[in-house]
Amino acid sequence: EAMTMADIVVVMRDGIVEQAGRPLELYDRPNNQFVAGFIGSPAMNFFPVTTTAGSHEIAFDDGQHLVMPQYSGLDGAYTIGIRPEHLRHSDGDAGFMVDIEAVEQTGSETLLQAGFNGKTMTILLRERFAAAPGEKTRFTIDPTLAQMFETDDGRRVIPE
């Protein structure tokens, strides 16, 4: 509701202001993982990843990788945030494999719940998508749309 009605949104946690700004500013550039998870519907997906300095890839716990050159200077454990509407179906070998758990067709959109990296990922496609529970398929994301967060305090990592 705040995204559609407010000029300025203030996100607070335990009486502390986490971030204040225009709704799309908070949506596109959240200060931390709390704000990223609070703003947007459906909520952002979060997964633990590891990086190696100099590598253009991040690694998920299940061994799958995602090319994200803007984070090649990072080294260690982080949390990646991926908005459900930023995921795209991949016809080839690009992207990562998911297990479809549930499909909700709304007419012009398709909402999917998919097993990935030991958790459930929410995927929102702005088109019809034929899938059934139990199927495996690949999804990818434009790396500039993903967010990276520090694991200890949740601060957003600014890409290089």
Side-chain angles (χ1 to χ4, degrees):
E1 217 175 279
M3 290 287 293
T4 60
M5 297 179 64
D7 293 325
I8 300 293
V9 174
V10 177
V11 177
M12 297 179 70
R13 176 172 45 169
D14 299 327
I16 307 285
V17 174
E18 294 288 333
Q19 188 172 355
R22 297 194 178 282
L24 289 178
E25 179 184 324
L26 275 63
Y27 183 84
D28 292 334
R29 292 177 303 285
N31 283 346
N32 57 46
Q33 188 175 339
F34 178 80
V35 173
F38 185 80
I39 296 289
S41 180
M44 184 179 269
N45 298 292
F46 296 108
F47 298 97
V49 295
T50 55
T51 63
T52 303
S55 172
H56 290 310
E57 293 185 333
I58 61 167
F60 293 95
D61 290 347
D62 68 358
Q64 297 191 71
H65 294 82
L66 188 60
V67 175
M68 297 191 68
Q70 74 271 34
Y71 296 113
S72 64
L74 298 181
D75 191 41
Y78 294 88
T79 300
I80 189 171
I82 303 172
R83 294 218 179 267
E85 65 274 16
H86 291 160
L87 290 151
R88 298 288 173 257
H89 183 249
S90 175
D91 290 327
D93 293 335
F96 43 84
M97 186 68 69
V98 302
D99 298 312
I100 303 297
E101 296 173 347
V103 180
E104 182 181 338
Q105 300 285 355
T106 64
S108 62
E109 297 178 331
T110 306
L111 182 64
L112 303 170
Q113 299 297 318
F116 172 70
N117 202 47
K119 295 173 77 176
T120 296
M121 171 185 276
T122 301
I123 302 167
L124 178 62
L125 302 173
R126 303 289 185 199
E127 69 268 353
R128 294 178 185 181
F129 181 72
E135 291 181 8
K136 293 182 183 296
T137 190
R138 289 187 173 276
F139 282 86
T140 190
I141 182 171
D142 176 341
T144 64
L145 298 176
Q147 305 278 344
M148 195 76 77
F149 301 95
E150 299 279 355
T151 55
D152 57 351
D153 62 8
R155 284 180 301 118
R156 181 171 61 103
V157 176
I158 307 299
E160 296 178 349

